[in-house]
Amino acid sequence: MSNAPSRFLVTARAPLTELPAWKRFVVAAQTCAARADELDLIEAPGLVLDASGQRHAPELLAAGEALLEARGFAEQRQRLLAGDEVNVTEHRAAWHTILRAPTAPTDVQAERERMDAWVRRADAERRWRHIVHVGIGGSDWGVRLAVSAFGYAGTWRDVRFVANIDGHAIEGGLAGLDPRDTLVVLVSKSFTTSETLENGARAREWLVAAGLDPADHLVAVTARPERARAWGIPEAQIFRLWDWVGGRFSIWSAVSLTTALSVGSDVLAGLRMGAAAMDAHFAQAPLLANAPVRMALAGIVNRSILGHGSLNIAPYDSRLANLVPYVQQLDMESLGKSVDLAGRPVGVPTGPAVWGMPGTDAQHTFFQWMHQGSDGAPVDFILCSQADHHWASHHRQLLANCLAQREALMRGKTLAQARAECLAEGLTPEQADWLAPHRVHPGGRPNHLVVLPRLSPYSLGALLALYEHRVFTQGVIWGIDPFDQWGVEYGKVLARGIAQALQPVASEARWDSALDTVAQAAATRPADRPSDHDASTCHWIAQLRG
Ligand code: F6P
């Protein structure tokens, strides 16, 4: 990994909004027509991106290209792919691309092979009928996604996921399992995450209570093997991550041990191949024929210029339900920031709220709002040309629904059309005048359609890398660090203090704490009882303590 200093990049870049290239891009976005009638397809490995539903006028795309140049995009992309220190605030690389590179460094390759061998042995011995995967955030979503995408019809190993600190999660996760045939996979890059360590501790107690040696039933995946060893996991059962892999970019690593045990090491290999092919496309394709780049430019237009506060992810494939939280973490933890690398306000709205649900469920839940609500949201529709079941009519209807929702959102319906419809249905002119406004659709809602030939590991890997690089590119344009997550840390620190304060207290102290009322909290505290909690938090600590 090269160690080029990032200071130049931090200090030398001009604020986005002062760049002539930004001003040109804004004007082009505001003045260009939507052009939904002009097909705009971008071929990429494992998928086709249809950007016809986004603003894609030639003058806007040319301005986008100039903006990327003004932001030093080519250099930044090169630094990302070379493993340079692109995570500036944490002084680290974000080298997830090397985890899926066909020729990975020796230690990465060795760890892959060690994990594959471990899985082969477990398979050969038909061990571990039950897997309890304990991890949260990036140590959870990717595995859930791959397991549900390729194990949707069941696998011989039953996988449970336990992420939340809520004790019901681990209670339910272990309920009814045979501890003798259960493997607990603890995944935590830092091996300090309280959810994972607490849930892991409950699983360990459960194994002990069954008269088993927990060391035989626990595996860890972490960048801090010494912590896992101290926690009681034998060296041979610890798989490695590296500091330079961000949690939300770690699906390509041993974090996916559960995926390999559940749906097979081949799935993991296919995911990596698809992602590596997308990496090559991202590195080499001309900017305007580059799928992640084009998606990013549309994302910037929608968020920073047209003012859309959210992005809806609509996979028309129920196996991709977990794509929504996966992209939600990837996008929101990466782009949910408002200052640039030099610490200045970015000056325009940045990362949108990402949300969604598979179609067609989504149509019966919130699509009304998408069609006729005052805001609406840009949508990423995702579909697979071919299904893996044999009910052709199901798939035909699924595809039809996806295309129809998209068309309705783009095309809209005018008042005149709505009125004509009402009259054609036999309403009187007065009734039509009254009802027609309720049936107007504004239309012009921006969208992408991403089409995968089939839901193969290759195409899913490509799709995930498409999103990763889209996020990175938006980070470069906004000038923010998409690889840190300081916002998450603050709440974690406060939670530690509040958890202490919520510990049971003796009855006298309890009385004391009951006196710790709203009024007291608001008043200046005596020096011996300092508290920097607000009045309401103090009140609820007192109420909930014990
Ligand atoms: O949510 C914050 C975060 O640090 C994520 O970035 C990460 O994926 C998750 O917590 C879990 O962290 P770890 O793998 O260290 O337990």
Side-chain angles (χ1 to χ4, degrees):
M1 191 186 313
S2 78
N3 203 16
S6 53
R7 178 146 293 281
F8 168 78
L9 290 161
V10 174
T11 52
R13 281 215 237 143
L16 175 66
T17 51
E18 287 176 17
L19 289 176
W22 172 252
K23 293 173 185 159
R24 176 182 162 196
F25 188 66
V26 172
V27 170
Q30 285 168 339
T31 53
C32 75
R35 290 176 181 250
D37 266 342
E38 281 174 35
L39 194 59
D40 184 11
L41 300 182
I42 296 131
E43 301 269 350
L47 54 86
V48 176
L49 173 70
D50 185 340
S52 315
Q54 301 285 352
R55 297 191 178 214
H56 59 108
E59 61 272 24
L60 176 63
L61 297 182
E65 219 173 353
L67 175 62
L68 287 161
E69 194 180 325
R71 294 308 264 170
F73 169 72
E75 185 198 355
Q76 295 282 24
R77 176 178 56 184
Q78 167 60 25
R79 289 170 54 77
L80 170 82
L81 299 174
D84 287 343
E85 188 189 291
V86 289
N87 181 352
V88 174
T89 71
E90 294 181 323
H91 306 291
R92 285 182 196 154
W95 214 15
H96 38 281
T97 50
I98 202 70
L99 294 174
R100 60 229 190 184
T103 46
T106 326
D107 50 347
V108 171
Q109 191 61 39
E111 203 58 7
R112 251 187 226 173
E113 284 163 15
R114 194 165 81 86
M115 188 179 88
D116 287 350
W118 200 89
V119 171
R120 270 199 305 277
R121 203 166 45 251
D123 286 349
E125 292 170 0
R126 295 288 287 181
R127 285 194 86 186
W128 317 124
R129 179 80 185 74
H130 312 290
I131 311 284
V132 180
H133 181 99
V134 181
I136 195 161
S139 297
D140 176 41
W141 291 123
V143 183
R144 282 198 207 231
L145 168 58
V147 168
S148 58
F150 301 110
Y152 67 96
T155 58
W156 79 269
R157 287 194 171 106
D158 151 44
V159 181
R160 309 255 182 110
F161 290 93
V162 177
N164 203 305
I165 190 69
D166 180 348
H168 302 105
I170 185 69
E171 189 183 25
L174 299 173
L177 300 186
D178 174 1
R180 287 165 305 176
D181 209 5
T182 297
L183 178 71
V184 178
V185 181
L186 281 187
V187 182
S188 176
K189 177 182 167 187
S190 59
F191 224 78
T192 56
T193 303
S194 60
E195 288 94 332
T196 304
L197 296 187
E198 285 285 343
N199 285 325
R202 298 297 82 72
R204 187 172 53 187
E205 289 158 12
W206 176 76
L207 291 164
V208 170
L212 298 166
D213 180 354
D216 293 339
H217 294 255
L218 286 163
V219 179
V221 182
T222 183
R224 304 305 301 266
E226 73 288 358
R227 291 187 183 150
R229 271 195 305 274
W231 202 85
I233 301 190
E235 180 73 39
Q237 283 153 228
I238 301 173
F239 294 96
R240 242 196 110 196
L241 262 185
W242 294 268
D243 244 8
W244 41 261
V245 186
R248 53 193 177 274
F249 300 89
S250 63
I251 181 176
W252 322 104
S253 71
V255 159
S256 291
L257 173 65
T258 298
T259 307
L261 285 164
S262 164
V263 290
S265 300
D266 289 355
V267 165
L268 210 46
L271 287 168
R272 289 193 196 112
M273 274 174 60
M278 184 59 76
D279 294 342
H281 168 86
F282 179 58
Q284 293 156 15
L287 291 181
L288 300 186
N290 192 310
V293 169
R294 288 294 307 279
M295 252 186 148
L297 289 174
I300 299 277
V301 169
N302 291 337
R303 180 68 189 111
S304 298
I305 302 172
L306 303 181
H308 291 290
S310 77
L311 168 67
N312 185 272
I313 308 287
Y316 271 70
D317 191 311
S318 56
R319 296 169 295 178
L320 290 179
N322 282 320
L323 181 69
V324 176
Y326 183 88
V327 175
Q328 200 167 42
Q329 187 201 11
L330 175 64
D331 198 318
M332 296 177 78
E333 210 163 80
S334 300
L335 299 175
K337 297 150 196 179
S338 319
V339 296
D340 69 12
L341 292 171
R344 303 167 294 215
V346 176
V348 294
T350 54
V354 177
W355 58 295
M357 186 186 282
T360 58
D361 309 71
Q363 293 171 207
H364 299 273
T365 309
F366 50 72
F367 262 59
Q368 166 59 38
W369 179 92
M370 305 277 279
H371 286 293
Q372 290 188 305
S374 51
D375 298 312
V379 190
D380 285 354
F381 290 96
I382 298 158
L383 63 76
C384 299
S385 305
Q386 273 182 37
D388 290 299
H389 58 70
H390 54 268
W391 293 294
S393 76
H394 279 257
H395 197 55
R396 215 167 22 246
Q397 291 183 62
L398 183 72
L399 299 181
N401 272 280
C402 178
L403 295 179
Q405 292 298 319
R406 178 170 171 263
E407 188 168 39
L409 286 167
M410 286 193 289
R411 185 199 286 179
K413 191 187 290 177
T414 63
L415 185 62
Q417 287 169 330
R419 189 170 184 280
E421 245 178 37
C422 294
L423 293 172
E425 287 166 16
L427 268 60
T428 64
E430 293 71 32
Q431 287 169 329
D433 284 343
W434 168 74
L435 191 57
H438 296 273
R439 293 169 64 157
V440 167
H441 289 234
R445 307 289 209 207
N447 70 82
H448 284 116
L449 173 64
V450 182
V451 180
L452 318 183
R454 271 192 57 218
L455 184 58
S456 64
Y458 182 88
S459 59
L460 181 59
L463 179 69
L464 301 186
L466 169 74
Y467 274 105
E468 285 180 357
H469 294 318
R470 191 268 282 157
V471 162
F472 170 75
T473 305
Q474 288 185 205
V476 171
I477 294 173
W478 280 323
I480 61 184
D481 184 342
F483 300 113
D484 61 13
Q485 57 282 314
W486 295 103
V488 185
E489 302 307 322
Y490 184 32
K492 282 187 195 170
V493 171
L494 290 186
R496 277 198 286 276
I498 294 176
Q500 286 266 321
L502 284 172
Q503 279 187 3
V505 284
S507 55
E508 248 170 71
R510 183 187 294 276
W511 174 244
D512 212 23
S513 74
L515 293 176
D516 190 4
T517 57
V518 175
Q520 269 186 317
T524 312
R525 292 177 172 276
D528 60 337
R529 294 192 58 215
S531 168
D532 50 9
H533 296 302
D534 59 84
S536 174
T537 305
C538 284
H539 171 76
W540 287 109
I541 289 173
Q543 291 294 312
L544 299 172
R545 197 190 317 233

